[in-house]
Amino acid sequence: MGLASTTTTVTSSPNPSTFSEQVTISARVTPIAPGAGVPTGTVTFTVSGPGGGTLTAPLDASGTAFATTSTLAAGSHSVTAVYGGDANFTSSTGTDTQTVNRAATSTTVTSAPDPSVFGQGFTVTARVAAVPPGAGTPTGTVTFTIDGVGPFDVALDASGQAHFTNSTLAAGGHTVTAVYNGDADFSGSTGSHTQSVHQAATTTTVTALPDPSVSGQRFTVTAVVAPLAPGAGVPTGTVTFALSGGGSIEVPLDATGKATVRGSLTAGQYTGTATYNGDVNFTRSSDSTTHTVTPSAFGQAVTVTATVSPVAPGAGTPTGSVAFTIDGGQPIDVPLGGSGQATLVTSALAPGSHDITALYSGDTDFVGSSGSDTQTVHQAATTTMVVSSPDPSAFGQPVTFTASVVPVLPGAGAPTGTVTFTLTGPGGGTLTATVDTGGTAEVTTSALKAGSHTVTATYSGDAAFTGSTGADTH
């Protein structure tokens, strides 16, 4: 009696399957009539393509062998089942085709920190994951766009994540989209997120130099606006400078975040405030400082500025000249500059109060006008230094005492008047001398007796300079 012939039928489930989904392959071996019975033995399964291979499984009591796999790559795979036969049945072969589809994915987008502030770096993370029954870690790239601007391609790491960092977004809400481009085994997917960027806080620092200034001296007020961490960048917009008891002026920030205004004031103490008005990316901030203006002193240069400006609805920049008169004296013509200002500098004002008038004579487009101010000049302070020669001296030897009278800055000029020398001790007394054009006064005496003598030189002052005292030991 010969062996019974067989036929092998191969099926798989599910078919089609998804990448990484477990697939069960079954081979049923049946006898061909007139043969009968249930074959025994083993079946060898061979699966072609990436992720395939060879699997061997025994026939069960129904003549069916089963094998499972979850390693098949996406694509079409040929499945061959070879029954090896047994003592009663011949071998046979069956085939089937298993289709594996790419696994679906989901892309989730997050960012940190969220919200951020303008200039602060934040990181956007796209996490790509397989959707069941698919499994595994997708590979490939993610394309990021922000408000439709891009693209920015970033490769997925070993955990299926892609990271993108940005610090240039303006304040507001921004849509971040991440598109996973898929790979051989995973299909593409898209996710999005809204990144909120807040205005960065700022700090404003205001300084005035020189401080103190003197009456009529021009000084500079500077406001520096800077972001507070973690904000970054250079604020734009304007700073409003306001003066206590006065008006205000709005000045644009330069490319470094600074605003500057210059001016001069009469003697007094002033509080100046600088308020940064903010912009789309930076918040408002302010600072204030106290500025002291001391009276001008004799000999000090005083700057007188006349600003000629049109009265609304007129506009433009007047031209021509301004005639300055001081206490009704001879007019001094000064041409207007490109900013409509004329400046007169003088250091010839005597101590006292001076009426200064500026008369604009007009031009072809603008009528004349005038303005006035009062400049107060104080006596300049002095210092007096006294020396003696020779020192020490011998009894009966002539000794010369010299006093030098010097103006204290910003005062200037040559003091006049007298110096009174007071000498203590035996042979001392009081001597007076006139200050010469070089600011010195000298007296000579040979009446001092042996010992230590204190010499005090007292300058009397004059109309332009205050008195002062100096001392020495002879």
Side-chain angles (χ1 to χ4, degrees):
M1 180 180 292
L3 298 177
S5 298
T6 61
T7 182
T8 298
T9 304
V10 183
T11 59
S12 58
S13 179
N15 191 11
S17 62
T18 298
F19 174 74
S20 292
E21 183 179 11
Q22 181 170 287
V23 176
T24 300
I25 305 171
S26 62
R28 181 174 178 79
V29 182
T30 57
I32 298 175
V38 180
T40 62
T42 61
V43 172
T44 299
F45 297 93
T46 301
V47 183
S48 67
T54 300
L55 302 168
T56 300
L59 290 172
D60 63 13
S62 67
T64 303
F66 298 92
T68 60
T69 181
S70 59
T71 63
L72 298 182
S76 181
H77 299 266
S78 174
V79 182
T80 301
V82 178
Y83 169 55
D86 62 9
N88 299 314
F89 294 93
T90 63
S91 63
S92 59
T93 300
T95 61
D96 188 27
T97 299
Q98 173 68 31
T99 300
V100 180
N101 293 331
R102 293 195 299 173
T105 61
S106 64
T107 298
T108 304
V109 184
T110 59
S111 64
D114 185 21
S116 60
V117 299
F118 178 76
Q120 179 184 15
F122 63 91
T123 299
V124 180
T125 299
R127 184 179 186 278
V128 183
V131 176
T137 303
T139 62
T141 61
V142 170
T143 299
F144 292 94
T145 58
I146 301 178
D147 297 332
V149 177
F152 309 99
D153 290 329
V154 181
L156 287 172
D157 61 20
S159 66
Q161 295 184 345
H163 307 281
F164 175 72
T165 300
N166 185 279
S167 61
T168 63
L169 296 185
H174 300 271
T175 300
V176 182
T177 301
V179 177
Y180 170 54
N181 299 306
D183 62 11
D185 296 317
F186 293 92
S187 61
S189 56
T190 300
S192 63
H193 176 70
T194 299
Q195 173 71 25
S196 295
V197 180
H198 292 178
Q199 289 174 299
T202 63
T203 178
T204 296
T205 304
V206 61
T207 56
L209 291 174
D211 188 21
S213 62
V214 297
S215 178
Q217 180 185 14
R218 292 180 68 80
F219 62 92
T220 301
V221 182
T222 302
V224 179
V225 183
L228 289 176
V234 180
T236 63
T238 61
V239 170
T240 299
F241 292 94
L243 188 67
S244 58
S248 62
I249 184 172
E250 192 169 326
V251 179
L253 288 172
D254 64 16
T256 66
K258 292 181 181 179
T260 300
V261 63
R262 295 175 177 84
S264 60
L265 295 169
T266 58
Q269 191 172 63
Y270 301 86
T271 298
T273 301
T275 301
Y276 169 55
N277 299 308
D279 64 11
V280 66
N281 295 318
F282 293 94
T283 62
R284 291 166 55 93
S285 58
S286 65
D287 187 32
S288 61
T289 185
T290 299
H291 181 67
T292 300
V293 181
T294 60
S296 62
F298 174 77
Q300 179 185 5
V302 175
T303 301
V304 184
T305 301
T307 302
V308 182
S309 56
V311 176
T317 302
T319 61
S321 63
V322 169
F324 292 94
T325 57
I326 301 175
D327 297 329
Q330 186 69 29
I332 304 171
D333 281 333
V334 178
L336 286 172
S339 61
Q341 289 187 334
T343 301
L344 173 69
V345 179
T346 179
S347 56
L349 299 182
S353 181
H354 299 272
D355 294 324
I356 302 175
T357 300
L359 176 63
Y360 170 56
S361 56
D363 62 12
T364 56
D365 297 317
F366 295 93
V367 299
S369 59
S370 65
S372 63
D373 190 24
T374 299
Q375 174 68 29
T376 300
V377 179
H378 288 231
Q379 290 174 294
T382 61
T383 59
T384 296
M385 297 172 289
V386 59
V387 295
S388 58
S389 179
D391 185 14
S393 63
F395 173 73
Q397 182 180 11
V399 177
T400 299
F401 295 94
T402 302
S404 298
V405 183
V406 179
V408 176
L409 294 176
T416 62
T418 60
V419 172
T420 298
F421 296 86
T422 302
L423 291 76
T424 64
T430 300
L431 301 170
T432 301
T434 300
V435 178
D436 63 20
T437 55
T440 61
E442 290 184 350
V443 294
T444 301
T445 181
S446 57
L448 297 179
K449 298 184 182 299
S452 179
H453 301 265
T454 298
V455 183
T456 301
T458 302
Y459 169 56
S460 61
D462 62 14
F465 295 94
T466 61
S468 57
T469 298
D472 187 29
T473 299
H474 179 73

